[in-house]
């Protein structure tokens, strides 16, 4: 079965891309703190701590060619793995997983089969929903215990006042006296852990909002007061696990749930988009961190700085839209893995491979089509890759200009307009018409 297939080209951590990467301007969501329990492999006797989930997933890909989709949306990863470990002993893996064949047009000995376990399978979808419901029930039970708990005792984060009894006393005090509002107490769960995390940041002389570090407590307090930074950073997803709203719907954060509520309220109002401001995605160079909001600037930068002309490759190789997508994703992947896509030489860093591309003039040395024109490159290497959004089909680019290509166009001879008028068929028809009347 899949467990007997040796992993190739996946020997190091750089060669394993387990899910789409994300460019720095839009970091991925942070996961909740993991427990120290060990998770057994679904197909062999190996196990690893849950805190080392990346190593566990890398093992599945390298040793078993198994990919689990949307891992971050699984509410209880340990129970999920145990369930499928049991099911894989009862039936073959191909009964549950989609099979993806790589290098489909190449020799048989170079073809590999990967197994994708995702919620497209009804059984997997139901399992994920059940785990989400179970997690929600546990969170709501924990929240109710904290709401009823009268043994809570803790000092204020900003003064020396100590509060005992219900947690709402401290939270309301910080909101009223220090303008530090983390939301309604009834919306918070794991409150003690939440306050400990905030206290740890303050003890490290770190601002809770901008997360800059200062030299002493006095400077930090002045900064937070003057800049009105006595609030938490809503973009820091480390705090997501402390708010009940993040457990309500599978795969949705509080921002997404809140935006849905806002849209429902606006349905009854006039559609006024006059104050709407667009936030365009910035396209990033294939080889460095240069970015721009316009595709032309990125294309020009790659031509001038890296001698790479994507438009020329599109014309020379007659690339359709999806072939361009595959090529871009292939180059992204190779550069991420510090490997020259022209000669397949491996390097220690991105800077080294970019330098090699320039020195060896390999930037335009695209390998044979069978290497990159593969199904796996339909999927983006970076999930927020705006460069993919700017690609266009070669046919659509020349739709108007090339529509009549190959058809001869004969110009009318207008050297003697008077003769043309006198001998015109229209004139004869008009004369015949007058005569008949």
């Amino acid at each position: 079965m899949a467990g007997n297939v040796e992993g190739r080209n996946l020997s190091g951590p750089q060669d394993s891309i387990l899910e789409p990467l994300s460019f720095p301007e839009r970091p991925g969501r942070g996961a909740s703190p993991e427990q120290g329990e060990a998770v057994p492999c679904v197909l062999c006797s190996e196990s690893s701590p849950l805190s080392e989930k990346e190593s566990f997933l890398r093992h599945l890909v390298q040793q078993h060619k198994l990919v689990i989709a949307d891992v971050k949306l699984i509410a209880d990863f340990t129970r999920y793995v145990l369930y499928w470990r049991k099911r894989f002993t009862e039936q073959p893996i191909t009964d549950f997983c989609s099979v993806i064949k790589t290098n489909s047009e190449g020799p048989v000995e170079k073809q590999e089969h990967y197994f994708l376990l995702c919620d497209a399978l009804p059984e997997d979808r139901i399992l994920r929903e059940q785990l989400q419901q179970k997690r929600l029930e546990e969170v709501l039970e924990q929240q109710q215990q904290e709401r009823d708990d009268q043994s809570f005792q803790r000092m204020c984060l900003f003064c020396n006042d100590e509060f005992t009894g219900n947690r709402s006393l401290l939270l309301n005090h910080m909101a009223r006296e220090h303008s530090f509002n983390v939301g309604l107490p009834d919306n918070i769960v794991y409150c003690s852990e939440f306050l400990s995390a905030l206290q740890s940041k303050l003890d490290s002389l770190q601002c809770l909002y901008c997360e800059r570090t200062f030299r002493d407590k006095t400077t930090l307090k002045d900064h937070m007061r003057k800049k009105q930074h006595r609030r938490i950073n809503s973009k820091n997803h480390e705090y997501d696990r402390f708010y009940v709203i993040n457990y309500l719907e599978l795969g949705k954060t509080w921002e997404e749930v809140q935006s849905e509520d806002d849209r429902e309220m606006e349905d009854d109002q006039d559609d006024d988009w006059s104050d709407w401001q667009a936030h365009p995605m910035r396209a990033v160079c294939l080889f460095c961190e240069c970015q721009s909001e316009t595709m032309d600037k990125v294309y020009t930068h790659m031509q001038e700085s890296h001698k790479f002309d994507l438009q020329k490759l599109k014309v020379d190789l007659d690339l359709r839209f999806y072939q361009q997508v595959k090529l871009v994703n292939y180059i992204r992947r190779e550069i991420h893995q510090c490997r020259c896509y022209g000669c397949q030489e491996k390097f220690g860093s991105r800077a080294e491979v970019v330098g090699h591309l320039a020195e060896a003039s390999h930037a335009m040395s695209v390998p044979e089509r069978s290497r990159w024109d593969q199904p796996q490159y339909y999927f983006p290497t970076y999930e927020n890759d705006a460069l993919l959004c700017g690609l266009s089909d070669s046919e659509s680019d020349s739709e108007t200009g090339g529509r009549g290509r190959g058809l001869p166009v004969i110009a009318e001879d207008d050297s003697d307009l008077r003769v043309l008028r006198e001998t015109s068929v229209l004139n004869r028809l008009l004369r015949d018409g007058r005569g008949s009347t």
Side-chain angles (χ1 to χ4, degrees), residues 55-66:
S55 298
F56 179 83
L57 297 174
R58 188 178 302 116
H59 166 80
L60 293 180
V61 173
Q62 292 178 345
Q63 301 301 322
H64 307 295
K65 303 293 188 295
L66 175 63

PDB file of all heavy atoms in Angstrom, residues 55-66:
ATOM      1  N   SER A  55       6.184  17.971  11.515  1.00  0.00           N
ATOM      2  CA  SER A  55       6.998  16.767  11.316  1.00  0.00           C
ATOM      3  C   SER A  55       6.109  15.556  11.033  1.00  0.00           C
ATOM      4  O   SER A  55       6.433  14.702  10.204  1.00  0.00           O
ATOM      5  CB  SER A  55       7.857  16.500  12.553  1.00  0.00           C
ATOM      6  OG  SER A  55       8.747  17.567  12.783  1.00  0.00           O
ATOM      7  N   PHE A  56       4.983  15.500  11.722  1.00  0.00           N
ATOM      8  CA  PHE A  56       4.036  14.401  11.521  1.00  0.00           C
ATOM      9  C   PHE A  56       3.493  14.416  10.094  1.00  0.00           C
ATOM     10  O   PHE A  56       3.456  13.389   9.413  1.00  0.00           O
ATOM     11  CB  PHE A  56       2.899  14.526  12.535  1.00  0.00           C
ATOM     12  CG  PHE A  56       1.848  13.458  12.420  1.00  0.00           C
ATOM     13  CD1 PHE A  56       2.019  12.222  13.011  1.00  0.00           C
ATOM     14  CD2 PHE A  56       0.683  13.693  11.713  1.00  0.00           C
ATOM     15  CE1 PHE A  56       1.053  11.235  12.896  1.00  0.00           C
ATOM     16  CE2 PHE A  56      -0.285  12.722  11.592  1.00  0.00           C
ATOM     17  CZ  PHE A  56      -0.106  11.491  12.184  1.00  0.00           C
ATOM     18  N   LEU A  57       3.076  15.593   9.624  1.00  0.00           N
ATOM     19  CA  LEU A  57       2.537  15.709   8.272  1.00  0.00           C
ATOM     20  C   LEU A  57       3.615  15.433   7.226  1.00  0.00           C
ATOM     21  O   LEU A  57       3.344  14.843   6.180  1.00  0.00           O
ATOM     22  CB  LEU A  57       1.953  17.101   8.062  1.00  0.00           C
ATOM     23  CG  LEU A  57       0.754  17.463   8.955  1.00  0.00           C
ATOM     24  CD1 LEU A  57       0.370  18.918   8.760  1.00  0.00           C
ATOM     25  CD2 LEU A  57      -0.430  16.561   8.659  1.00  0.00           C
ATOM     26  N   ARG A  58       4.849  15.853   7.508  1.00  0.00           N
ATOM     27  CA  ARG A  58       5.956  15.596   6.586  1.00  0.00           C
ATOM     28  C   ARG A  58       6.209  14.088   6.477  1.00  0.00           C
ATOM     29  O   ARG A  58       6.479  13.567   5.380  1.00  0.00           O
ATOM     30  CB  ARG A  58       7.211  16.317   7.063  1.00  0.00           C
ATOM     31  CG  ARG A  58       8.370  16.262   6.066  1.00  0.00           C
ATOM     32  CD  ARG A  58       9.580  17.035   6.562  1.00  0.00           C
ATOM     33  NE  ARG A  58       9.232  18.414   6.822  1.00  0.00           N
ATOM     34  CZ  ARG A  58       9.262  18.987   8.019  1.00  0.00           C
ATOM     35  NH1 ARG A  58       9.632  18.271   9.078  1.00  0.00           N
ATOM     36  NH2 ARG A  58       8.914  20.244   8.167  1.00  0.00           N
ATOM     37  N   HIS A  59       6.087  13.398   7.591  1.00  0.00           N
ATOM     38  CA  HIS A  59       6.245  11.939   7.581  1.00  0.00           C
ATOM     39  C   HIS A  59       5.187  11.286   6.703  1.00  0.00           C
ATOM     40  O   HIS A  59       5.481  10.371   5.913  1.00  0.00           O
ATOM     41  CB  HIS A  59       6.150  11.408   9.016  1.00  0.00           C
ATOM     42  CG  HIS A  59       5.954   9.912   9.104  1.00  0.00           C
ATOM     43  ND1 HIS A  59       6.981   9.017   8.970  1.00  0.00           N
ATOM     44  CD2 HIS A  59       4.821   9.178   9.304  1.00  0.00           C
ATOM     45  CE1 HIS A  59       6.511   7.785   9.072  1.00  0.00           C
ATOM     46  NE2 HIS A  59       5.204   7.857   9.283  1.00  0.00           N
ATOM     47  N   LEU A  60       3.949  11.744   6.791  1.00  0.00           N
ATOM     48  CA  LEU A  60       2.878  11.171   5.971  1.00  0.00           C
ATOM     49  C   LEU A  60       3.162  11.358   4.479  1.00  0.00           C
ATOM     50  O   LEU A  60       2.935  10.452   3.672  1.00  0.00           O
ATOM     51  CB  LEU A  60       1.542  11.820   6.324  1.00  0.00           C
ATOM     52  CG  LEU A  60       0.969  11.534   7.723  1.00  0.00           C
ATOM     53  CD1 LEU A  60      -0.366  12.254   7.903  1.00  0.00           C
ATOM     54  CD2 LEU A  60       0.785  10.037   7.942  1.00  0.00           C
ATOM     55  N   VAL A  61       3.682  12.532   4.121  1.00  0.00           N
ATOM     56  CA  VAL A  61       3.951  12.801   2.709  1.00  0.00           C
ATOM     57  C   VAL A  61       5.153  11.998   2.218  1.00  0.00           C
ATOM     58  O   VAL A  61       5.111  11.367   1.159  1.00  0.00           O
ATOM     59  CB  VAL A  61       4.186  14.311   2.494  1.00  0.00           C
ATOM     60  CG1 VAL A  61       4.633  14.577   1.062  1.00  0.00           C
ATOM     61  CG2 VAL A  61       2.926  15.090   2.795  1.00  0.00           C
ATOM     62  N   GLN A  62       6.224  12.014   2.984  1.00  0.00           N
ATOM     63  CA  GLN A  62       7.455  11.380   2.540  1.00  0.00           C
ATOM     64  C   GLN A  62       7.352   9.861   2.519  1.00  0.00           C
ATOM     65  O   GLN A  62       7.784   9.218   1.564  1.00  0.00           O
ATOM     66  CB  GLN A  62       8.610  11.806   3.454  1.00  0.00           C
ATOM     67  CG  GLN A  62       8.995  13.264   3.329  1.00  0.00           C
ATOM     68  CD  GLN A  62      10.108  13.638   4.296  1.00  0.00           C
ATOM     69  OE1 GLN A  62      10.405  12.902   5.226  1.00  0.00           O
ATOM     70  NE2 GLN A  62      10.705  14.797   4.083  1.00  0.00           N
ATOM     71  N   GLN A  63       6.793   9.295   3.567  1.00  0.00           N
ATOM     72  CA  GLN A  63       6.794   7.841   3.708  1.00  0.00           C
ATOM     73  C   GLN A  63       5.568   7.167   3.104  1.00  0.00           C
ATOM     74  O   GLN A  63       5.634   6.015   2.683  1.00  0.00           O
ATOM     75  CB  GLN A  63       6.910   7.458   5.188  1.00  0.00           C
ATOM     76  CG  GLN A  63       8.164   7.984   5.865  1.00  0.00           C
ATOM     77  CD  GLN A  63       9.434   7.491   5.185  1.00  0.00           C
ATOM     78  OE1 GLN A  63       9.506   6.347   4.744  1.00  0.00           O
ATOM     79  NE2 GLN A  63      10.445   8.353   5.089  1.00  0.00           N
ATOM     80  N   HIS A  64       4.448   7.866   3.099  1.00  0.00           N
ATOM     81  CA  HIS A  64       3.200   7.217   2.673  1.00  0.00           C
ATOM     82  C   HIS A  64       2.504   7.927   1.520  1.00  0.00           C
ATOM     83  O   HIS A  64       1.441   7.483   1.093  1.00  0.00           O
ATOM     84  CB  HIS A  64       2.231   7.118   3.855  1.00  0.00           C
ATOM     85  CG  HIS A  64       2.827   6.478   5.074  1.00  0.00           C
ATOM     86  ND1 HIS A  64       3.230   5.163   5.103  1.00  0.00           N
ATOM     87  CD2 HIS A  64       3.102   6.988   6.306  1.00  0.00           C
ATOM     88  CE1 HIS A  64       3.710   4.869   6.313  1.00  0.00           C
ATOM     89  NE2 HIS A  64       3.658   5.967   7.050  1.00  0.00           N
ATOM     90  N   LYS A  65       3.060   9.059   1.059  1.00  0.00           N
ATOM     91  CA  LYS A  65       2.439   9.823  -0.026  1.00  0.00           C
ATOM     92  C   LYS A  65       1.003  10.223   0.318  1.00  0.00           C
ATOM     93  O   LYS A  65       0.140  10.303  -0.554  1.00  0.00           O
ATOM     94  CB  LYS A  65       2.452   9.016  -1.336  1.00  0.00           C
ATOM     95  CG  LYS A  65       3.831   8.557  -1.791  1.00  0.00           C
ATOM     96  CD  LYS A  65       4.674   9.772  -2.185  1.00  0.00           C
ATOM     97  CE  LYS A  65       5.984   9.349  -2.821  1.00  0.00           C
ATOM     98  NZ  LYS A  65       6.861   8.638  -1.903  1.00  0.00           N
ATOM     99  N   LEU A  66       0.749  10.484   1.584  1.00  0.00           N
ATOM    100  CA  LEU A  66      -0.597  10.838   2.048  1.00  0.00           C
ATOM    101  C   LEU A  66      -0.623  12.316   2.440  1.00  0.00           C
ATOM    102  O   LEU A  66       0.205  12.773   3.227  1.00  0.00           O
ATOM    103  CB  LEU A  66      -1.008   9.970   3.238  1.00  0.00           C
ATOM    104  CG  LEU A  66      -2.343  10.317   3.899  1.00  0.00           C
ATOM    105  CD1 LEU A  66      -3.493  10.123   2.924  1.00  0.00           C
ATOM    106  CD2 LEU A  66      -2.573   9.485   5.157  1.00  0.00           C
TER     107      LEU A  66
END
